[in-house]
Amino acid sequence: MTYDSIIIGMGIAGISAAVYAKRSGSNVLLLEKMRPGGIINTIDKIENYPGFKSITGPDLAFQLFDQVNALQVPYKMEEVINISLENDVKIVKTTCSEYRALNVLIATGRSPILLGLPNEEKLIGKGISTCALCDGYLYKGKEIAVVGGGNSALQEALYLSNIVNKIYLIHRRDQFRGDEELVSRVKEKENIEILYNSQVTELKENNDELKSIVINNEKELPVSAMFVYIGYAPKTEFAKELGITNPVGYIEVDENFETKVPGIYAAGDIIIKKVYQIVTAASEGATAAIRFSRKK
Ligand code: NAP
């Protein structure tokens, strides 16, 4: 069987595309490796998505999944490992099976990057985290660090400040990159101490748990946890052979979100663009699906 379209990723871009594709009568299949909603699941509060004054990430993810089910969009929880071409047909290989489609939309999102310190990966779940919503409660009443100067670091520091006793917000420059509104709210918080021009240079551990961090090779701060928000890397390794990714894994698309390979589309956080927001990802998924559904 050859599908009209296969959509890889059940984040906001993929689900938005699936809604449009299915409603246009397209024969569509959704593939997801882990959990519907993608990175939205890790956001504590979303206050800039139209229609919701405020909604938690997991609640929005649930609503998205509910919509997929209500529309009876077929989906499989399988990890895609390769995409190859056979004339006009795209062959999508997963860890379990192989599927064929005339169009493929890649909407696999990004995963958080770490600082690259020697024992950092080993300490994930033992003091190092990239998800305040998942792990914040473990450090109730404790002193912790948040690293980064963008919207993610600011927003998650605000969330954590209501749980922990004290936060060191560590940023490598003397100015934040994030929105002024978030910066002001962070500065008003009495239990957030901002350390500008600061880099974490060492992680010290005790019995395989993080016990302190060293700043700029000189100052040691005893902390129970360090939440890292220094950006994200696109999850596009499986698409490498198509030659559509740049050296750091992002995908170039045209105004219809089609890549240079006809019939292969990309949307959401994995494409080269200026604005990485939930609302833009939804729009990109919809635009791509409208385009490939009309080609039928
Ligand atoms: P980001 O905007 O790329 O910010 C990453 C931050 O980490 C920057 O401050 C950067 O420092 C710092 N950094 C990068 N590499 C580092 C390293 N090796 N060591 C120390 N610091 C490092 O990432 P983000 O905050 O995750 O946001 C990603 C996108 O999502 C943005 O477009 C953002 O606006 C959007 N977002 C929006 C919202 C919202 O609307 N409420 C919430 C979250 C995210 P420099 O500043 O020195 O480069």
Side-chain angles (χ1 to χ4, degrees), residues 43 45 48 110 113-115 147-153 155-156 170-173 175-179 182 198-199 229-232 269 274-277:
I43 305 174
K45 224 190 276 175
N48 54 8
R110 300 185 288 183
I113 52 178
L114 294 172
L115 291 165
V147 184
N151 279 331
S152 297
Q155 190 166 317
E156 301 312 317
I170 298 161
H171 182 36
R172 66 181 177 184
R173 285 191 300 129
Q175 226 180 340
F176 286 111
R177 176 193 286 264
D179 296 348
L182 286 173
S198 299
Q199 299 248 39
Y229 289 105
I230 61 163
Y232 295 85
D269 281 0
K274 290 209 171 79
V275 181
Y276 292 86
Q277 293 285 304

Side-chain angles (χ1 to χ4, degrees), residues 201-212:
T201 47
E202 194 185 338
L203 305 173
K204 294 199 173 179
E205 46 185 289
N206 185 18
N207 291 331
D208 288 334
E209 300 267 346
L210 182 71
K211 101 173 156 80
S212 65

Side-chain angles (χ1 to χ4, degrees), residues 112-167:
I113 52 178
L114 294 172
L115 291 165
L117 294 163
N119 48 350
E120 198 176 11
E121 281 203 30
K122 189 187 90 175
L123 290 172
I124 290 175
K126 294 166 181 162
I128 303 293
S129 174
T130 55
C131 180
L133 189 61
C134 323
D135 300 330
Y137 73 96
L138 297 172
Y139 305 103
K140 191 170 165 51
K142 302 264 167 73
E143 299 208 347
I144 65 154
V146 171
V147 184
N151 279 331
S152 297
L154 296 165
Q155 190 166 317
E156 301 312 317
L158 283 171
Y159 169 74
L160 288 163
S161 69
N162 296 321
I163 301 171
V164 303
N165 186 38
K166 168 158 187 162
I167 297 176

Side-chain angles (χ1 to χ4, degrees), residues 144-267:
I144 65 154
V146 171
V147 184
N151 279 331
S152 297
L154 296 165
Q155 190 166 317
E156 301 312 317
L158 283 171
Y159 169 74
L160 288 163
S161 69
N162 296 321
I163 301 171
V164 303
N165 186 38
K166 168 158 187 162
I167 297 176
Y168 296 100
L169 178 55
I170 298 161
H171 182 36
R172 66 181 177 184
R173 285 191 300 129
D174 60 358
Q175 226 180 340
F176 286 111
R177 176 193 286 264
D179 296 348
E180 201 40 58
E181 191 255 345
L182 286 173
V183 175
S184 307
R185 280 167 62 195
V186 161
K187 285 181 178 169
E188 277 166 19
K189 282 276 177 183
E190 282 184 359
N191 64 344
I192 300 181
E193 182 179 337
I194 300 169
L195 304 181
Y196 294 106
N197 300 313
S198 299
Q199 299 248 39
V200 179
T201 47
E202 194 185 338
L203 305 173
K204 294 199 173 179
E205 46 185 289
N206 185 18
N207 291 331
D208 288 334
E209 300 267 346
L210 182 71
K211 101 173 156 80
S212 65
I213 58 176
V214 178
I215 307 294
N216 297 342
N217 289 313
E218 47 190 33
K219 189 174 171 189
E220 186 168 341
L221 300 174
V223 290
S224 308
M226 180 177 85
F227 288 82
V228 185
Y229 289 105
I230 61 163
Y232 295 85
K235 294 183 270 183
T236 53
E237 192 60 30
F238 61 87
K240 221 172 170 182
E241 275 176 32
L242 294 170
I244 56 172
T245 50
N246 74 5
V248 283
Y250 284 87
I251 299 175
E252 192 175 340
V253 289
D254 66 14
E255 70 277 14
N256 295 307
F257 300 94
E258 191 166 13
T259 68
K260 67 180 181 188
V261 177
I264 304 253
Y265 295 75

Side-chain angles (χ1 to χ4, degrees), residues 1-6 88-92 99-104:
M1 159 176 193
T2 301
Y3 289 94
D4 292 330
S5 56
I6 290 178
D88 281 352
V89 175
K90 284 86 195 166
I91 298 159
V92 179
Y99 304 96
R100 300 162 72 83
L102 295 174
N103 299 288
V104 168

